Amino acid sequence: MNRFGLTIAVPRGALLGGSLDALDRASIDTSEIRSNDRKLLFADVGVVTMRPSDVPTYVEAGAADVGITGKDVLMEYPERQIFELADLNFGECQIVVASEDGPDKAEAALLRLGVMRIATKYPRIAAEYFEQSGRQAEIVTVNGSVELAPLTGLADAIVDLTATGITLQENGLVVREVIATVTARLVANRVAHRLKAVAIEEFASLISAEPNAQATKA
Amino acid sequence: MSARIPSGTRDVLPEERAELRRIEAALLGVFSDSGYGEVSTPTVEYQETLQRAGATATPVSYRVLGEPGEELALRSDMTVPIARVASSRYRDAEMPLRFCYVALAYRAVTPHRGQPREFLQAGVELIGAEVISGCAETLTVLCRAIEASGLKDFYVGVGDSALYPSLLASCGVDPDASETVLKELGDRDYVGIDRELRALDIAVDQIDLLTKVPRMRGAEVLSGSLDPALDSAVSSIRDLVGSLEPDVAARMIPDLGRFPRMGYYSGVVFEVYDPRLGEPIASGGYYADLLGRFGMPVGGVGFAIDVDLLHAALAGEERGETGR
């Protein structure tokens, strides 16, 4: 266990590096996590690693006291009863609507058919966004390689997360609309937030410190 | 093929039922010794009656078709039915009134997430008592009842749902802007709170104060010296904790950021935490206006213990799990 006495849920994938850098700022030894990408539980340092979308589940249930995950995940699962403590200012991405380059097929579908088909890993965010803007969208949930959907005719457009836009570009897609800009967030279990208040506040202030604010912007 | 039951409901078999019965008996014993009389009310009521608690109260989730023309619903808690009983049967009685119950209540859930739609609550309502002494009495009964069930390690978060709204008003934040900040506070989205506060056209030191207060929690909140604007705002929590017996007071965790999103609570609010469980096992608070909606203009204070969660907490303590 770490000196804070907190079990920390850490996301694997794109947010892992930034999350471990943040843990380093709190003087938590991350060397074993960095060197072992198969092990999931690091009891010595109180860290559990998992998919970003599982972080709210573990934290809500109290299986982890605090966790790091993307704001996109928090937006997709608003019913999770967890507290959002801090913006960690790394892992900046945009949730966008994208479709094939050239005339926008989604717009054409909306005009001619009154409805467009949207493929996404974020059915809640997508449905709410189009509902708010008064457009009919049929949401097709896929679990990966969302870019494939418009290329194969499964959907007219996609709603997906993009950091650099390179994957979109390589698949001949262009961004049509930006739904939100998201970053990594620190979340806490609501019971731990009260019962481990001192430890959580100290941990939060240490990992939120931004020695490399410039790097984040770049 | 065996017949199924709806997600979020369950059958209780003899072994578990016997354990639940022991817990119920322990809780009811303390309620009764403290002068609370047990009541039962109908599981179904007129929808209109339950909705009198207001739009922000726990929504009525299950509507029942009665005889032609009847719109019935399953109760979502026992506080509203007891307010109805008090206002119709005890209107001229001497105050305060003390009622207790063990009853099933019903709430909508997200399917297949293990949340119960039907759950067993044990609780009390103290009607027509003065705020601080009434809250002190129910908090004491709450702690004694949970102790009697056998649970040793638990804490009570105490907040005041009027604290932050009045602090916003005293900083000159207009009602619309306050509403936006309070929505973020209800979600406990601190990033959202900070964002909304920074957008306000008020002095920097006021923004600092408003940013700091929702994060203030723990026993030391009341012991340290406080900003003068805050000092009077925390008086209800301080007076309340100060009036408790020492062993009960020791369980209290002041929480200045507590702002229940829903409910009829209008002042002191509390929640019981077990270090082994990720969710509160009991909750309650003071309601000023609920009985008024039934034509009886007195306040009340009460709590409900989730008996199944208390059972889970006891099982965890018995297994010797350490509070993570």
Side-chain angles (χ1 to χ4, degrees), chain A residues 82-153:
Chain A
I82 52 179
F83 296 174
E84 186 179 330
L85 300 188
D87 186 344
L88 299 177
N89 291 314
F90 68 85
E92 184 171 311
C93 287
Q94 293 184 314
I95 305 174
V96 301
V97 184
S99 63
E100 277 183 283
D101 203 357
D104 189 352
K105 283 187 182 161
E107 201 175 311
L110 193 62
L111 272 177
R112 295 192 50 215
L113 306 173
V115 59
M116 49 191 176
R117 268 194 304 181
I118 305 291
T120 186
K121 283 182 283 191
Y122 301 96
R124 286 279 278 278
I125 295 173
E128 186 157 323
Y129 177 69
F130 290 112
E131 218 165 84
Q132 274 177 2
S133 52
R135 290 174 284 181
Q136 287 291 322
E138 184 190 318
I139 309 293
V140 184
T141 306
V142 294
N143 288 317
S145 303
V146 187
E147 298 82 7
L148 192 59
L151 309 181
T152 54

Side-chain angles (χ1 to χ4, degrees), chain A residues 188-202:
Chain A
N189 173 268
R190 52 189 167 144
V191 171
H193 187 251
R194 277 77 174 230
L195 298 188
K196 299 183 175 179
V198 176
I200 287 180
E201 286 303 309
E202 191 194 352

Side-chain angles (χ1 to χ4, degrees), chain B residues 289-310:
Chain B
D289 306 323
L290 178 62
L291 285 130
R293 293 167 187 269
F294 290 94
M296 190 175 181
V298 295
V301 54
F303 63 77
I305 299 169
D306 186 310
V307 178
D308 292 320
L309 285 177
L310 176 56

Side-chain angles (χ1 to χ4, degrees), chain A residues 157-210:
Chain A
I158 63 170
V159 166
D160 204 17
L161 200 60
T162 175
T164 57
I166 293 172
T167 313
L168 292 178
Q169 207 180 337
E170 284 181 349
N171 288 288
L173 302 176
V174 293
V175 173
R176 304 288 181 178
E177 295 165 52
V178 177
I179 298 178
T181 299
V182 299
T183 49
R185 303 293 161 95
L186 175 67
V187 295
N189 173 268
R190 52 189 167 144
V191 171
H193 187 251
R194 277 77 174 230
L195 298 188
K196 299 183 175 179
V198 176
I200 287 180
E201 286 303 309
E202 191 194 352
F203 177 71
S205 70
L206 285 172
I207 75 162
S208 306
E210 259 186 289

Side-chain angles (χ1 to χ4, degrees), chain B residues 20 75 212 271 296:
Chain B
L20 291 175
R75 62 184 174 218
K212 202 175 63 182
E271 267 184 344
M296 190 175 181

Side-chain angles (χ1 to χ4, degrees), chain B residues 95-119:
Chain B
M95 296 288 145
L97 301 168
R98 291 182 173 84
F99 299 111
C100 69
Y101 58 87
V102 175
L104 290 165
Y106 302 83
R107 277 176 203 175
V109 295
T110 317
H112 306 296
R113 282 196 47 207
Q115 296 172 337
R117 303 188 208 229
E118 179 185 67
F119 50 92

Side-chain angles (χ1 to χ4, degrees), chain A residues 60-62 65 71 79-80 83-87 185 189-191 193-198 200-201, chain B residues 110 113 155 187-191 215 217 220 253 255 258 261 271 273-275 277-280 324:
Chain A
E60 184 188 41
D65 296 308
K71 179 67 177 173
E79 74 279 7
R80 296 281 176 208
F83 296 174
E84 186 179 330
L85 300 188
D87 186 344
R185 303 293 161 95
N189 173 268
R190 52 189 167 144
V191 171
H193 187 251
R194 277 77 174 230
L195 298 188
K196 299 183 175 179
V198 176
I200 287 180
E201 286 303 309
Chain B
T110 317
R113 282 196 47 207
Y155 301 87
D187 291 342
R188 284 283 180 133
D189 179 347
Y190 288 98
V191 178
R215 291 175 167 82
R217 59 201 191 279
E220 58 284 352
I253 300 179
D255 181 359
R258 181 87 199 288
R261 236 178 315 195
E271 267 184 344
Y273 307 117
D274 177 283
L277 292 183
E279 58 188 314
R324 277 170 296 95

